[in-house]
Amino acid sequence: MNPLYEVMTPVEAAERWRKASITVRQACTGYKKAPPRFHKDEARRSGTTWLITVTGMTRVFGPEPR
């Protein structure tokens, strides 16, 4: 599989997993006193955009809905 299809933005991930985009962004950054939910090899910031792996989304939110 093309490695570009293994990485996505929070908006794309939210659409694919049927979550609110704020939920995915908060999993990247953490909120209030909760730490980020993704491991360092599952999500990273590129400029002002977060990049998230399919593996990270699956670990945090379960399998992608069909």
Side-chain angles (χ1 to χ4, degrees):
M1 179 181 235
N2 186 334
L4 291 175
Y5 291 110
E6 294 295 315
V7 179
M8 64 198 114
T9 66
V11 172
E12 181 182 359
E15 288 173 2
R16 286 178 58 177
W17 266 260
R18 299 183 188 140
K19 303 285 181 194
S21 61
I22 188 69
T23 302
V24 177
R25 279 184 300 192
Q26 286 177 338
C28 293
T29 62
Y31 59 95
K32 294 187 182 176
K33 294 184 179 181
R37 296 178 67 190
F38 292 111
H39 296 152
K40 292 183 183 210
D41 62 340
E42 296 173 337
R44 76 174 188 92
R45 197 169 182 119
S46 177
T48 60
T49 303
W50 280 94
L51 299 172
I52 306 163
T53 63
V54 171
T55 304
M57 283 297 294
T58 302
R59 186 185 63 75
V60 173
F61 294 107
E64 182 178 357
R66 297 280 170 193

